[in-house]
Amino acid sequence: MRAFGEIWESNVFQKWLMAISGLLLVGFLLGHLSGNLLVFMGPDAINEYAHGLRTMLHGTAIWIVRFGLLGTFVLHITSAMKLSRRNREARPSRYNTVEHRASTLASRSMLYSGLLLLTYAVYHLAHFTWGVVHSEFYPKASPTGPESNGAEYIPDVYSMVVSSFQVHAISVAYVLAMIMVGLHLNHAIASAFQTLGVRNQRFVPVIRMVGPLLGILVAAGFSSVPLAILAGIVK
Amino acid sequence: MNLRLHIWRQSGPQDAGMLKTYDVANVSEHMSFLEMLDVLNEDLIAKGEVPVAFDHDCREGICGTCGMVINGRPHGPLARTTACQLHMRTFKDGDEIYIEPWRARAFPVIRDLVVDRGSFDRIIQKGGFVSVNTGNAQDGNTLPIPKTDADRAMDAAACIGCGACVAACPNASAMLFTAAKIGHLGSVPQGQAERSTRAMNMVLQMDAEGFGACTNHYECEAACPKGISADFIAQMNKDYVASVFAGRD
Ligand code: HEM
Ligand code: SF4
Ligand code: FES
C-alpha cells in the first residue's frame, strides 16, 4: 500500500484539499457577511454582536474560530501555490498564439485574484482587528479604574466602521477587494463541485449558475456597507 | 488559394526551435490540412530543403496520430475535427496560419511538429486494461449492462489518445485523457474488479509524467476531436479519492 505522504502530495488529493478548504472559507464569508449587515440595524445591533463574538464561551470561542480559519487559509494557500507551480512547470515552452474557447477571465486569474485577496485580508485585519492602521478610528480600550463604574464595556464597532468608510480611499479599496472576491468565487464554486466529483449533465446548468450568483451576492452584500455609508444612508 | 504559413521548426529534442515562414501557392480548398503540408514538403524537397516533420497515419480521424496547434487551437478551428479531417475550405486566400507542436513537459518535441506521447502509453500501462482469463468468450447476454452505462462507456471509449486535451489545457493537464480511460472501464461490469487500483495507479502515473493539474477551464473538452465530456474528470476525482479510502493498492 502506498504511504500517506505520497497520496497527500498527489495532484488530485491537493485539489480536494483546496476545494474543501475553499468551501469552508466561503462558509466563513457568508457568516461574516450576515454579521456585517447588522450595520443597517443600527449601532446597538452590531456592537452587541461584535461584543458577543469576543466574549462567547469566556472568549475562547473566537480563538477556536481564529485558529480554525488560519488552518483553513494555510491549507488553501499551500495547495493553491503548490498546484499553480506544478501547472506552470508542466508547460515550459509557451505557444506563439493561443485562442481560448472555454476558459474565462475568472478561471485564468484565480492565482492572482487569490493573492490580491490575501494581501487585502492582511490589511483588513490590520485595520479592523488589530487597529494598527487607521488606528484613529479604532475603539478605545475598555476604561479601568473608577470611571468604569462596574458596567460592562461594549466597544463602539459601529463608529469605527462608519468613520473609516467615510474616508473615500478606504471604501474604494474595500469595494475593489470585494470585486476580487466575486471574481474568485465566480470560478471557484463551480470548480469545487467538479473537483469533488459532484457533476453530471443534470447539475451542470445549476452549478454554472450558483458560482456567479454567489459571487455577485457576496461582492454586492459586502460592498453595500461602504456604499451606504458614502451615500449617507448609514451615519 | 495562396497562404502564408508560420511553422515551428526544431531539428531535434535539444534544439531551441523557432517559427519559420513559408508561402504556399495554389492550395485547393478540397485538400485536407495535412495534404496542404504534403504539397509544401514536396516543394521543400525539390528545393533541397528539409521537409516539415509531422505525425499522421489513418488520415480519417480515427487513429489519433495527427495533431498540431493551428492558429492557437489544437487540431485547428473546427470543433470535433482532427487535423487530418480539417479541410482547406475552412481558410481563405491570403490567410496567415501559425502551426506549432503540442507543448507540454510530458510531450517533448522530437522534431518540428512531432512530439513523443510515450507518457500516455505509460499511463495506460498502469491500468488502462481489464485482466481476464483466456478461454472461450462468455456468451454476450450473461452480463446484463444497462443501456445508459454501455452508452457512457462508449462515449469515453471514443478517445483516440491524440493529446489535444493536453495541448489545449493552460496547465498541460492530461486529466481528460486519463479520465476517459478510467471512465470507460469503470462504466462496465468487466472493469469493476480493478476499478479502485486503476484509478489510483493511473492518476499517480499522470503526476509522475509531469502533467499539470486540472483547474476546470474546460479547454480540453472544447478541443477534443471526440467530444469527451469533462464529466469524466469529476468521476475520476471521485474514484481516486474512493481508492485512497479503500486502500486496496
Ligand atoms: C476568502 C478567501 C478565499 C475563498 C473563499 C476561496 C475559495 C476558493 C474555492 C471554493 C476554490 C475552488 C477549489 C477548486 O478549484 O476545486 C478556490 C480555488 C483557488 N483559490 Fe481560493 N479562496 C480564497 C482565497 C484564496 C487565496 C488567498 C489564494 C492565494 C493563493 C487563493 C488561490 C486559489 C487558487 C489558485 C485556486 C485554484 C483555482 C482553480 O482550481 O481553478 N484563494 N478558492
Ligand atoms: S480526450 Fe479527446 S483530446 Fe484528449 S486524447 Fe482523448 S480524443 Fe484526444
Ligand atoms: S491521422 Fe489518424 S486521426 Fe488524424
Side-chain angles (χ1 to χ4, degrees), chain A residues 69-81:
Chain A
L69 255 181
L70 184 69
T72 312
F73 251 107
V74 168
L75 213 55
H76 191 70
I77 294 166
T78 49
S79 54
M81 302 296 277

Side-chain angles (χ1 to χ4, degrees), chain B residues 75 120 158-166 176-177 180 220 223-228:
Chain B
H75 292 301
F120 269 13
C159 168
I160 52 178
C162 63
C165 43
V166 175
L176 191 62
F177 165 78
C220 54
C224 175
K226 298 298 154 186
I228 306 290

